[in-house]
Amino acid sequence: MYAQLVETGLSKIQNLEEMAPEERAFQQRIDEGIKIEAKDWMPEAYRKTLVRQISQHAHSEIVGQLPEANWVTRAPTLERKAILLAKIQDEAGHGLYLYSAAETLGVSRDQLLGDLHSGKAKYSSIFNYPTLSWADMGAIGWLVDGSAIINQIPLCRCSYGPYARAMVRVCKEESFHARQGYDIMMALCRGTAEQKQMAQDALNRWWWPALMMFGPSDAASVNSAQSAQWRIKLFSNDELRQRMVDQTVPQAEYLGLTIPDPDLKWNEAKGSYDFGAIDWEEFNNVLRGNGPCNRQRLQVRKQAYDDGEWFRDGLQAHADKHQGARQAA
Ligand code: BYC
């Protein structure tokens, strides 16, 4: 796939002969599988691409806490509440590793957060959908964290060292998240008819948005070819989306739930499932800021940032005081 993506993107990206010597040496290191580290020379466009992707990833982790936070006070048991809280705390941790990885590329946390709050930086489309019932906690863990793992396992091998290393722990924790989600779905599906219906309803609402998480189709993906050449992307959006469908259909069957896609069908020749058309108009609309919860999500993040100002000021004053004392000594 890597070769195929680079191939299709050849009109947009340079081949080795066209590159300046420094850039050629950089590309050769990448082709040999050598990691790029923060202090190494890198093309400005590589740095920018990573800042864009890593920061959007970090924002997704932070904004991703909000739909689940909605259910902390209404979890059905103390145990479920404790597990959900631990998962949400993990997401905060992921955001922090990722902001730190982005900072190694010479951007400040304030700049990154400023871009989120102004609407300049994106975060994952999936977090602009509402969580209407407890079953949504199951569906998010199962489908959203499940998709996140499929997308993120290859990132542990991406070319930028600090990003790749941050992803190792993130993926381990995501695996726990996906299992807790599936466990909620199993409990609901083994419960009353009403509980099983809640699980089906959650699957109906989260299925298509989860498929959209993988990004536009390969034909429409503007960044894929260059990211593949730089080995930031090891698999294409469509390839990973197909993996998610193939992995999830048997899991839905085990639960006794129906995937909301009349065109879903096993394709013997391909050895994978065919599935229906994605509503890209809906996806683009969410990206433009018009999803069901976009405004609410941004407003809550901005409010949290403003509310935390006194704390950041306090930390800064404390740090300044100690630095002053050290300089005086
Ligand atoms: N939502 O050329 P493309 C999580 C944008 S966190 C919004 O294919 P690329 C979790 C894309 O940014 C989930 N925007 O781009 C957390 C680009 O716009 P810009 C987040 C999307 O970068 C808590 C444009 O569309 N995961 O899992 O090559 C709880 C064209 O796309 C989306 C990551 O961030 C989307 N779904 O590929 C539970 C993983 N898709 O930036 C779970 C790392 C595309 O040019 N990121 N866009 O203005 C990636 O792997 C890649 O950035 C993507 C997109 C596959 C997402």
Side-chain angles (χ1 to χ4, degrees):
M1 170 329 284
Y2 165 66
Q4 188 190 323
L5 262 188
V6 172
E7 187 70 24
T8 51
L10 272 184
S11 55
K12 282 178 272 170
I13 60 176
Q14 288 183 314
N15 52 37
L16 280 179
E17 299 80 66
E18 292 166 334
M19 291 175 187
E22 222 170 13
E23 210 166 323
R24 190 178 313 132
F26 172 85
Q27 185 63 49
Q28 279 164 343
R29 280 186 68 190
I30 288 190
D31 293 343
E32 285 163 26
I34 300 170
K35 291 262 180 287
I36 306 301
E37 298 297 338
K39 290 189 175 154
D40 293 343
W41 182 88
M42 60 184 81
E44 181 55 16
Y46 176 82
R47 193 186 70 81
K48 278 199 172 140
T49 293
L50 281 170
V51 170
R52 174 183 67 78
Q53 176 165 327
I54 301 173
S55 65
Q56 294 185 4
H57 194 164
H59 301 327
S60 303
E61 301 283 354
I62 298 298
V63 178
Q65 297 179 103
L66 300 176
E68 291 179 314
N70 190 30
W71 283 90
V72 170
T73 54
R74 284 173 284 162
T77 66
L78 182 60
E79 193 189 7
R80 290 285 187 204
K81 189 206 273 275
I83 294 171
L84 185 61
L85 264 177
K87 177 188 191 290
I88 295 170
Q89 282 179 343
D90 285 352
E91 308 299 359
H94 299 174
L96 297 184
Y97 316 144
L98 287 162
Y99 283 129
S100 299
E103 282 170 321
T104 65
L105 292 154
V107 272
S108 71
R109 183 97 41 125
D110 282 345
Q111 264 170 284
L112 299 175
L113 291 175
D115 286 348
L116 171 68
H117 299 154
S118 71
K120 189 174 161 216
K122 295 187 172 78
Y123 57 88
S124 183
S125 50
I126 192 77
F127 301 119
N128 292 304
Y129 291 85
T131 45
L132 304 179
S133 82
W134 171 252
D136 289 15
M137 298 304 96
I140 289 181
W142 173 34
L143 303 173
V144 176
D145 291 272
S147 298
I149 294 170
I150 292 170
N151 167 274
Q152 291 170 17
I153 292 274
L155 290 173
C156 299
R157 292 186 286 122
C158 79
S159 61
Y160 188 56
Y163 191 24
R165 288 189 291 273
M167 292 318 296
V168 173
R169 178 162 170 183
V170 171
C171 286
K172 286 189 177 153
E173 291 176 351
E174 295 293 9
S175 163
F176 153 66
H177 299 168
R179 278 151 201 255
Q180 70 85 37
Y182 197 71
D183 189 61
I184 293 174
M185 295 306 270
M186 284 221 291
L188 291 172
C189 291
R190 285 181 186 150
T192 62
E194 222 177 353
Q195 285 171 320
K196 188 159 184 189
Q197 187 47 44
M198 266 170 66
Q200 180 64 55
D201 172 62
L203 171 59
N204 293 349
R205 285 181 290 106
W206 291 93
W207 175 253
W208 292 105
L211 291 191
M212 292 174 196
M213 281 177 74
F214 293 89
S217 69
D218 292 353
S221 167
V222 285
N223 301 308
S224 280
Q226 184 60 77
S227 289
Q229 189 185 35
W230 283 329
R231 295 189 75 81
I232 295 169
K233 247 180 176 167
L234 302 185
F235 299 95
S236 77
N237 297 358
D238 285 336
E239 251 176 318
L240 294 176
R241 191 173 3 254
Q242 181 71 54
R243 232 178 248 191
M244 140 65 167
V245 173
D246 293 343
Q247 172 181 302
T248 311
V249 174
Q251 296 169 347
E253 281 167 2
Y254 184 78
L255 291 170
L257 297 179
T258 308
I259 304 260
D261 178 359
D263 297 322
L264 185 76
K265 201 164 160 249
W266 177 252
N267 182 327
E268 193 62 50
K270 233 176 43 168
S272 62
Y273 284 91
D274 289 333
F275 55 95
I278 290 175
D279 182 353
W280 293 116
E281 188 42 45
E282 175 182 328
F283 173 75
N284 289 324
N285 204 37
V286 174
L287 260 58
R288 283 194 293 267
N290 300 322
C293 299
N294 291 60
R295 283 172 192 83
Q296 186 191 341
R297 299 287 186 243
L298 261 193
Q299 192 267 328
V300 171
R301 283 314 312 158
K302 278 194 255 185
Q303 184 71 47
Y305 188 78
D306 291 346
D307 290 349
E309 189 177 3
W310 67 272
F311 188 71
R312 291 191 301 278
D313 287 351
L315 280 178
Q316 192 61 50
H318 185 74
D320 290 347
K321 190 174 137 202
H322 280 267
Q323 197 179 1
R326 266 201 305 277
Q327 276 165 355

